[in-house]
Amino acid sequence: MNGDDETIRLPVPMIGYGVPTDPCLTLHRSLPETAIGPPYFYYENVALAPKGVWDTIKRFLYDVEPEFVDSKCFCAAARKRGYVHNLPIRNRFPLLPFPPRTIHEALPLTKKWWPSWDSRTKLKFLQTCIGSAILTERIRKSLEDWDDAPPSHVQKYVLDECRKWNLVWVGRNKVAPLEPDEVEMLLGFSSCL
């Protein structure tokens, strides 16, 4: 590959070809001559696709290596994705304003209700289905008998469900799913757009 050679800095795994605000490690990328410059292409898929999927995608896009990114490096939710593209990687810059990077930065009103035994700072991932009212009521009932921290088996049950469904604390012993506007905000969409 003797095409467009670009060297940039890479902070952590799953960060892609670097973060403009926090460069650290050096990474080298070469593009084949046929993939340099316009027309640009950009193809996205889940990072943890089944074996062979990324090789197939690359084969149809000039054998360009994918760029893998976990959104938890940029916002309060994890989302591991891969991108095959021929976009320039030099002189990248962040879009402003920066999205919130933790749950409490994103949803500050939840901090008042957040129990000390729930150590989550990031949401697991964003999904299209949400936890039901039946589930949130079941969680409330499992916690109502405890003034302080519930026993470890109750904590485990509650935390497993909160992680699975991205539930946040909205009252004493009360969790709720994210609202659509909260999901948009976590993804970096401004409420004033």
Side-chain angles (χ1 to χ4, degrees), residues 25 40 59 82 96 123 148 152 188:
L25 302 173
Y40 292 110
R59 190 171 61 246
L96 299 176
L123 296 166
D148 293 324
S152 60

Short mmCIF file of all heavy atoms in Angstrom, two decimals, residues 25 40 59 82 96 123 148 152 188:
data_model
loop_
_atom_site.label_atom_id
_atom_site.label_comp_id
_atom_site.label_asym_id
_atom_site.label_seq_id
_atom_site.Cartn_x
_atom_site.Cartn_y
_atom_site.Cartn_z
N LEU A 25 -1.07 7.88 21.57
CA LEU A 25 -0.27 6.89 20.87
C LEU A 25 -0.23 7.20 19.38
O LEU A 25 -1.10 7.88 18.86
CB LEU A 25 -0.87 5.49 21.07
CG LEU A 25 -1.00 5.02 22.51
CD1 LEU A 25 -1.77 3.71 22.56
CD2 LEU A 25 0.35 4.87 23.14
N TYR A 40 -15.61 10.11 -1.65
CA TYR A 40 -15.42 9.55 -0.31
C TYR A 40 -16.51 8.51 -0.03
O TYR A 40 -17.62 8.62 -0.54
CB TYR A 40 -15.47 10.64 0.75
CG TYR A 40 -14.28 11.57 0.67
CD1 TYR A 40 -14.43 12.87 0.23
CD2 TYR A 40 -13.01 11.12 1.02
CE1 TYR A 40 -13.34 13.72 0.14
CE2 TYR A 40 -11.91 11.96 0.94
CZ TYR A 40 -12.08 13.25 0.49
OH TYR A 40 -11.00 14.08 0.40
N ARG A 59 -13.26 -6.10 1.57
CA ARG A 59 -13.04 -6.57 0.20
C ARG A 59 -13.82 -5.73 -0.81
O ARG A 59 -13.35 -5.46 -1.91
CB ARG A 59 -13.43 -8.05 0.10
CG ARG A 59 -13.00 -8.70 -1.20
CD ARG A 59 -13.18 -10.21 -1.24
NE ARG A 59 -14.56 -10.62 -1.07
CZ ARG A 59 -15.02 -11.30 -0.01
NH1 ARG A 59 -14.21 -11.65 0.96
NH2 ARG A 59 -16.29 -11.62 0.07
N GLY A 82 -17.63 0.01 14.01
CA GLY A 82 -16.51 0.02 13.08
C GLY A 82 -16.90 0.81 11.85
O GLY A 82 -18.07 0.83 11.45
N LEU A 96 -18.58 21.01 18.62
CA LEU A 96 -18.95 21.62 19.90
C LEU A 96 -20.45 21.86 19.93
O LEU A 96 -21.04 22.09 18.88
CB LEU A 96 -18.19 22.93 20.08
CG LEU A 96 -16.67 22.80 20.10
CD1 LEU A 96 -16.03 24.17 20.18
CD2 LEU A 96 -16.20 21.93 21.26
N LEU A 123 -23.58 4.47 30.69
CA LEU A 123 -24.63 3.55 30.31
C LEU A 123 -24.03 2.47 29.43
O LEU A 123 -23.06 2.70 28.72
CB LEU A 123 -25.75 4.29 29.61
CG LEU A 123 -26.45 5.32 30.50
CD1 LEU A 123 -27.32 6.25 29.68
CD2 LEU A 123 -27.25 4.63 31.58
N ASP A 148 -31.48 1.19 54.37
CA ASP A 148 -30.12 1.43 53.88
C ASP A 148 -29.90 0.59 52.63
O ASP A 148 -30.83 0.29 51.91
CB ASP A 148 -29.11 1.07 54.98
CG ASP A 148 -29.21 2.03 56.17
OD1 ASP A 148 -29.47 3.22 55.94
OD2 ASP A 148 -29.02 1.57 57.31
N SER A 152 -26.84 -8.01 49.24
CA SER A 152 -26.09 -8.11 47.98
C SER A 152 -26.88 -8.80 46.86
O SER A 152 -26.77 -8.41 45.70
CB SER A 152 -24.75 -8.80 48.20
OG SER A 152 -24.95 -10.10 48.70
N GLY A 188 -25.25 13.35 21.53
CA GLY A 188 -24.61 14.60 21.15
C GLY A 188 -25.48 15.55 20.36
O GLY A 188 -25.00 16.58 19.88
#
